[in-house]
Amino acid sequence: MTSSPSMENGASSSSGSSSSLLASMQQFKLFETHSNFYMIGWNGSGVYRILKIDRLDASELNLREDSTAYTKKECYDLLKRIHEGNKATGGLKLVTLCYGIIGFIKFLGPYYMLLITERREIGEICGHSVYEVSKSEVISLQNSSVLCNIANSRDENRYKRLLCVVDLTKDFFFSYSYNVMRSFQKNICAHESGGTLYKKMFVWNEFLTRGIRHHLQNTLWTVALVYGFFKQTTLSEAGRNFKLTLIARRSRHNAGTRYLKRGINESGNVANDVETEQIVSEDVPVDHPMQISSVVQNRGSIPLFWSQETSRMNIKPDIVLSKRDLNYEATKLHFESLVERYGIPIIILNLIKTKERRPRESILRAEFANAIDFINKDLPEENRLRFLHWDLHKHFQSKTANVLALLGKVAACALMLTGFFYYQVTPAMKLEGYMSFSSSDADTSPYNSSDDDSGEYDSQEKNFRPSKNVANGDYDVKPSRLQRGVLRTNCIDCLDRTNVAQYAYGWAALGQQLHALGIRDAPTIELDDPLSSTLMGLYERMGDTLAYQYGGSAAHNKVFSERRGQWRAATQSQEFLRTLQRYYNNAYMDADKQDAINIFLGTFRPEQGRQAVWELRSDSHSNGQSGEISIGEDERFLVKRCLSDGNILHESHTSMSAVSSKHESVSHRGFVSSHQVTHIISESSPDMPAAGDVTLSRCTPSMPSTHFFGDAQKVQHNGSSSIYLSEQEDMSSVSNFVDVEWLSSSENLCENDQLYRPSALTMYSTMEMSSSENSISEVKQSTLAVSESGSSSRKGKEPMGTELSVHTKIRDDFPDSFKQWVAYGEALCH
């Protein structure tokens, strides 16, 4: 395509250097003539750029970027010449002021351009502003004077209305200078820029920007949209201000609504896959070094082939479990992807029900256990998936169980294994347009980045070391830490129960983060602390937002409501209304919403002569792109259903006791060696309390899964052997990284336990932990040592004082009953 003479005759300017050309453009003006759109963009350095978009053939995307850098005067002189040259057809007109291009999309007729016309700042990370979309606009590239039957057809207009179902003003956020689609740790450890960032799984307009990125080979004109949740608040503790930021990033893979997107697809992508990041940073002036800490956790649908058919007659549709993946290949792919993204260990917290009158969730519970054991059997013990099956609903119904306190103990055990990220950002780094280590900061990077944020995780320890910055005042940089591995939480919907567990993890991590920043002396926070209530409010808002996106209503927050002391009748009324709202949206609104998501993400692409997306009316019959599931008639025989009569009709295809030796072993891609794992765990672990809300000596980093599964009762059905629940063994407590008996005994703690709990820290002298990372390994080996025989019964147990004798000393000025509780973990009151 040739440019207009007016653009060719524009005087070039030497005022814009190559570095300023690459500076982020944050404001734009869109002009139009009869035959072209002209977008003018400028940055804070006073450099102006021009993008030309053809309107004569709107069925094709024709773009041209002027390589000249203009001053403001030069740019507007050029626009005047364009206006003069087009007076015969109406001249040059201003269309709108905008803040970035979301992308381009085509249905059956012309292309449309999506623009951000209003934005609102919602926070900042290390001086880099984060915005949400306040208003957007869809503009047809075709001139209104050009006749086109397709452009005004009924199907075209319906596609346009369907696109608007995706409300860009709700929960979409972006940043011009900070890669908000990546965790803070990844931004520090491995710098990435340009088009590779758009291929990440959390960028929702990857498909919409594909055309312009291909034409221009840059991303100066577009913004990368993240869908999920972003909330930042400034708090004060002991006279020191800090910012608490909570971010949820929803994956665009296998994305959709509650009943239309369940389980896993062939590519290993699960539904409702959300990464949650909690960032704590000092609130300091720009010219001061800033301490910052982050911790990441994950939620996602149970990684099996299962579904629920939307029903207008049944508020709880049947769960359908498919036998299509006999060797759990897709499940393996999913966990390998997690390893590549986060490293090891992968810790699974499964919260679904164990015992039901009508087996529904428990069917998935048993099959998920089979899958984990099947995968683990071919892995070295150090690389195995860590798991805890814990029926949250059952424990919440218990009068003696403090669900949040128990989940907090599980979270602390998980934190011991994964650690969290801590780094001291220098003023020079804050002034850069990106966050990245310089070559002097580290010798190696733990990430080998690739497309889709799934680069193979490099297990080699990053060489963090103190450094000096003469230009900013000569100060010492504290030793940094890395998070290795992740906690993955799920229930059925990964909304309500999952959000409670994620809050518990965030609560346990917050104490550690504030302790690392030197804001708190103790690494724990009590549930009654106002800071815990503030954090609960953030997670509650996040839970409601994610639940609206996936489920159609706010989250069920019975645990949070009870914790706040809300009137039980009010809670029940609120939960009932949310159930009705969720049912209505799932039954009547989700089909259109799913179609809109498929159009927005490019999962379904309209074509002339092909069925429209609303005519298919089944998400499983999309065009098969992005790993979509398609169940044909020849596959229906593979599916068994949980019917309303309560019979378990699912045929298990694997028996953990008798798996054919012909099965292929699980791929070790993304799994590092056992020696490297030990090194990672020992050197990334945060400082942990010797006692307090969590008794760390009761956590064991590894326990063979056969210890738990060996005695499980196996139920024969239709000639297959499958592990199901028996009356003798509660499978919800099965774990290979938490002492299950210790966790179960914690349910006996009465309310007085919470009153005494703050004193537990003072009962022991402070555990001395060297700032050297090498010393952490020795502490962990002492605090994590638990023998299987010692956990089988109270008889023969060594008291905690004995287990921690090297590092602790028990004080004598406490009642015997209190010392008995701390030493043995038994109930404090009887």
PDB file of all heavy atoms in Angstrom, residues 7-27:
ATOM      1  N   MET A   7       1.863  12.654   3.563  1.00  0.00           N
ATOM      2  CA  MET A   7       2.697  11.993   4.566  1.00  0.00           C
ATOM      3  C   MET A   7       4.127  11.899   4.083  1.00  0.00           C
ATOM      4  O   MET A   7       5.071  12.013   4.858  1.00  0.00           O
ATOM      5  CB  MET A   7       2.164  10.607   4.890  1.00  0.00           C
ATOM      6  CG  MET A   7       0.941  10.612   5.776  1.00  0.00           C
ATOM      7  SD  MET A   7       0.520   8.954   6.335  1.00  0.00           S
ATOM      8  CE  MET A   7       1.878   8.585   7.428  1.00  0.00           C
ATOM      9  N   GLU A   8       4.301  11.673   2.777  1.00  0.00           N
ATOM     10  CA  GLU A   8       5.645  11.520   2.258  1.00  0.00           C
ATOM     11  C   GLU A   8       6.413  12.826   2.303  1.00  0.00           C
ATOM     12  O   GLU A   8       7.633  12.853   2.420  1.00  0.00           O
ATOM     13  CB  GLU A   8       5.585  10.999   0.820  1.00  0.00           C
ATOM     14  CG  GLU A   8       5.071   9.571   0.740  1.00  0.00           C
ATOM     15  CD  GLU A   8       4.973   9.108  -0.682  1.00  0.00           C
ATOM     16  OE1 GLU A   8       5.027   9.957  -1.594  1.00  0.00           O
ATOM     17  OE2 GLU A   8       4.833   7.903  -0.896  1.00  0.00           O
ATOM     18  N   ASN A   9       5.691  13.969   2.183  1.00  0.00           N
ATOM     19  CA  ASN A   9       6.354  15.254   2.143  1.00  0.00           C
ATOM     20  C   ASN A   9       6.585  15.841   3.523  1.00  0.00           C
ATOM     21  O   ASN A   9       7.107  16.949   3.645  1.00  0.00           O
ATOM     22  CB  ASN A   9       5.532  16.248   1.309  1.00  0.00           C
ATOM     23  CG  ASN A   9       5.451  15.820  -0.141  1.00  0.00           C
ATOM     24  OD1 ASN A   9       6.361  15.164  -0.633  1.00  0.00           O
ATOM     25  ND2 ASN A   9       4.370  16.194  -0.820  1.00  0.00           N
ATOM     26  N   GLY A  10       6.154  15.143   4.580  1.00  0.00           N
ATOM     27  CA  GLY A  10       6.348  15.670   5.922  1.00  0.00           C
ATOM     28  C   GLY A  10       7.816  15.742   6.244  1.00  0.00           C
ATOM     29  O   GLY A  10       8.581  14.829   5.992  1.00  0.00           O
ATOM     30  N   ALA A  11       8.199  16.868   6.862  1.00  0.00           N
ATOM     31  CA  ALA A  11       9.603  17.045   7.224  1.00  0.00           C
ATOM     32  C   ALA A  11       9.944  16.156   8.387  1.00  0.00           C
ATOM     33  O   ALA A  11       9.215  16.063   9.357  1.00  0.00           O
ATOM     34  CB  ALA A  11       9.859  18.512   7.572  1.00  0.00           C
ATOM     35  N   SER A  12      11.078  15.499   8.287  1.00  0.00           N
ATOM     36  CA  SER A  12      11.531  14.669   9.389  1.00  0.00           C
ATOM     37  C   SER A  12      12.191  15.526  10.432  1.00  0.00           C
ATOM     38  O   SER A  12      12.607  16.646  10.175  1.00  0.00           O
ATOM     39  CB  SER A  12      12.501  13.604   8.879  1.00  0.00           C
ATOM     40  OG  SER A  12      13.650  14.229   8.364  1.00  0.00           O
ATOM     41  N   SER A  13      12.294  14.995  11.634  1.00  0.00           N
ATOM     42  CA  SER A  13      12.882  15.737  12.743  1.00  0.00           C
ATOM     43  C   SER A  13      13.947  14.914  13.390  1.00  0.00           C
ATOM     44  O   SER A  13      13.807  13.715  13.563  1.00  0.00           O
ATOM     45  CB  SER A  13      11.810  16.104  13.775  1.00  0.00           C
ATOM     46  OG  SER A  13      12.396  16.650  14.928  1.00  0.00           O
ATOM     47  N   SER A  14      15.014  15.576  13.754  1.00  0.00           N
ATOM     48  CA  SER A  14      16.096  14.903  14.448  1.00  0.00           C
ATOM     49  C   SER A  14      15.938  14.959  15.938  1.00  0.00           C
ATOM     50  O   SER A  14      16.774  14.490  16.680  1.00  0.00           O
ATOM     51  CB  SER A  14      17.441  15.544  14.054  1.00  0.00           C
ATOM     52  OG  SER A  14      17.444  16.915  14.409  1.00  0.00           O
ATOM     53  N   SER A  15      14.835  15.562  16.395  1.00  0.00           N
ATOM     54  CA  SER A  15      14.652  15.723  17.837  1.00  0.00           C
ATOM     55  C   SER A  15      14.337  14.426  18.527  1.00  0.00           C
ATOM     56  O   SER A  15      14.489  14.299  19.729  1.00  0.00           O
ATOM     57  CB  SER A  15      13.543  16.738  18.119  1.00  0.00           C
ATOM     58  OG  SER A  15      12.334  16.276  17.579  1.00  0.00           O
ATOM     59  N   GLY A  16      13.813  13.451  17.797  1.00  0.00           N
ATOM     60  CA  GLY A  16      13.464  12.188  18.435  1.00  0.00           C
ATOM     61  C   GLY A  16      14.578  11.180  18.268  1.00  0.00           C
ATOM     62  O   GLY A  16      14.871  10.738  17.185  1.00  0.00           O
ATOM     63  N   SER A  17      15.201  10.815  19.325  1.00  0.00           N
ATOM     64  CA  SER A  17      16.249   9.799  19.292  1.00  0.00           C
ATOM     65  C   SER A  17      15.623   8.435  19.225  1.00  0.00           C
ATOM     66  O   SER A  17      14.439   8.252  19.431  1.00  0.00           O
ATOM     67  CB  SER A  17      17.141   9.921  20.537  1.00  0.00           C
ATOM     68  OG  SER A  17      16.392   9.640  21.686  1.00  0.00           O
ATOM     69  N   SER A  18      16.451   7.434  18.948  1.00  0.00           N
ATOM     70  CA  SER A  18      15.949   6.063  18.854  1.00  0.00           C
ATOM     71  C   SER A  18      15.398   5.584  20.169  1.00  0.00           C
ATOM     72  O   SER A  18      14.431   4.831  20.206  1.00  0.00           O
ATOM     73  CB  SER A  18      17.070   5.145  18.374  1.00  0.00           C
ATOM     74  OG  SER A  18      18.157   5.192  19.281  1.00  0.00           O
ATOM     75  N   SER A  19      15.988   6.040  21.257  1.00  0.00           N
ATOM     76  CA  SER A  19      15.480   5.602  22.561  1.00  0.00           C
ATOM     77  C   SER A  19      14.138   6.212  22.869  1.00  0.00           C
ATOM     78  O   SER A  19      13.260   5.567  23.435  1.00  0.00           O
ATOM     79  CB  SER A  19      16.490   5.978  23.663  1.00  0.00           C
ATOM     80  OG  SER A  19      16.684   7.389  23.680  1.00  0.00           O
ATOM     81  N   SER A  20      13.921   7.481  22.483  1.00  0.00           N
ATOM     82  CA  SER A  20      12.642   8.121  22.753  1.00  0.00           C
ATOM     83  C   SER A  20      11.544   7.563  21.863  1.00  0.00           C
ATOM     84  O   SER A  20      10.372   7.582  22.219  1.00  0.00           O
ATOM     85  CB  SER A  20      12.762   9.646  22.563  1.00  0.00           C
ATOM     86  OG  SER A  20      13.159   9.946  21.236  1.00  0.00           O
ATOM     87  N   LEU A  21      11.921   7.053  20.687  1.00  0.00           N
ATOM     88  CA  LEU A  21      10.911   6.446  19.830  1.00  0.00           C
ATOM     89  C   LEU A  21      10.297   5.222  20.489  1.00  0.00           C
ATOM     90  O   LEU A  21       9.129   4.911  20.291  1.00  0.00           O
ATOM     91  CB  LEU A  21      11.548   6.049  18.494  1.00  0.00           C
ATOM     92  CG  LEU A  21      11.867   7.190  17.515  1.00  0.00           C
ATOM     93  CD1 LEU A  21      12.533   6.631  16.272  1.00  0.00           C
ATOM     94  CD2 LEU A  21      10.626   7.976  17.155  1.00  0.00           C
ATOM     95  N   LEU A  22      11.109   4.530  21.285  1.00  0.00           N
ATOM     96  CA  LEU A  22      10.630   3.319  21.926  1.00  0.00           C
ATOM     97  C   LEU A  22       9.942   3.596  23.246  1.00  0.00           C
ATOM     98  O   LEU A  22       9.462   2.688  23.889  1.00  0.00           O
ATOM     99  CB  LEU A  22      11.808   2.359  22.140  1.00  0.00           C
ATOM    100  CG  LEU A  22      12.467   1.848  20.857  1.00  0.00           C
ATOM    101  CD1 LEU A  22      13.661   0.971  21.203  1.00  0.00           C
ATOM    102  CD2 LEU A  22      11.488   1.109  19.983  1.00  0.00           C
ATOM    103  N   ALA A  23       9.936   4.871  23.680  1.00  0.00           N
ATOM    104  CA  ALA A  23       9.265   5.205  24.935  1.00  0.00           C
ATOM    105  C   ALA A  23       7.771   4.950  24.788  1.00  0.00           C
ATOM    106  O   ALA A  23       7.203   5.053  23.701  1.00  0.00           O
ATOM    107  CB  ALA A  23       9.530   6.661  25.301  1.00  0.00           C
ATOM    108  N   SER A  24       7.140   4.646  25.884  1.00  0.00           N
ATOM    109  CA  SER A  24       5.739   4.263  25.860  1.00  0.00           C
ATOM    110  C   SER A  24       4.854   5.440  25.479  1.00  0.00           C
ATOM    111  O   SER A  24       4.944   6.523  26.046  1.00  0.00           O
ATOM    112  CB  SER A  24       5.341   3.733  27.247  1.00  0.00           C
ATOM    113  OG  SER A  24       3.960   3.511  27.313  1.00  0.00           O
ATOM    114  N   MET A  25       3.993   5.207  24.488  1.00  0.00           N
ATOM    115  CA  MET A  25       2.985   6.206  24.124  1.00  0.00           C
ATOM    116  C   MET A  25       1.712   5.894  24.906  1.00  0.00           C
ATOM    117  O   MET A  25       1.243   4.764  24.902  1.00  0.00           O
ATOM    118  CB  MET A  25       2.723   6.181  22.620  1.00  0.00           C
ATOM    119  CG  MET A  25       3.915   6.592  21.783  1.00  0.00           C
ATOM    120  SD  MET A  25       3.519   6.902  20.046  1.00  0.00           S
ATOM    121  CE  MET A  25       2.976   5.285  19.515  1.00  0.00           C
ATOM    122  N   GLN A  26       1.162   6.920  25.555  1.00  0.00           N
ATOM    123  CA  GLN A  26       0.027   6.701  26.442  1.00  0.00           C
ATOM    124  C   GLN A  26      -1.214   7.483  26.042  1.00  0.00           C
ATOM    125  O   GLN A  26      -2.286   7.255  26.586  1.00  0.00           O
ATOM    126  CB  GLN A  26       0.408   7.057  27.883  1.00  0.00           C
ATOM    127  CG  GLN A  26       1.568   6.241  28.421  1.00  0.00           C
ATOM    128  CD  GLN A  26       1.809   6.468  29.904  1.00  0.00           C
ATOM    129  OE1 GLN A  26       0.960   7.015  30.612  1.00  0.00           O
ATOM    130  NE2 GLN A  26       2.962   6.046  30.385  1.00  0.00           N
ATOM    131  N   GLN A  27      -1.099   8.397  25.098  1.00  0.00           N
ATOM    132  CA  GLN A  27      -2.253   9.163  24.644  1.00  0.00           C
ATOM    133  C   GLN A  27      -2.254   9.209  23.125  1.00  0.00           C
ATOM    134  O   GLN A  27      -1.194   9.306  22.489  1.00  0.00           O
ATOM    135  CB  GLN A  27      -2.245  10.578  25.226  1.00  0.00           C
ATOM    136  CG  GLN A  27      -2.482  10.623  26.734  1.00  0.00           C
ATOM    137  CD  GLN A  27      -2.660  12.033  27.242  1.00  0.00           C
ATOM    138  OE1 GLN A  27      -2.717  12.985  26.469  1.00  0.00           O
ATOM    139  NE2 GLN A  27      -2.759  12.169  28.552  1.00  0.00           N
TER     140      GLN A  27
END
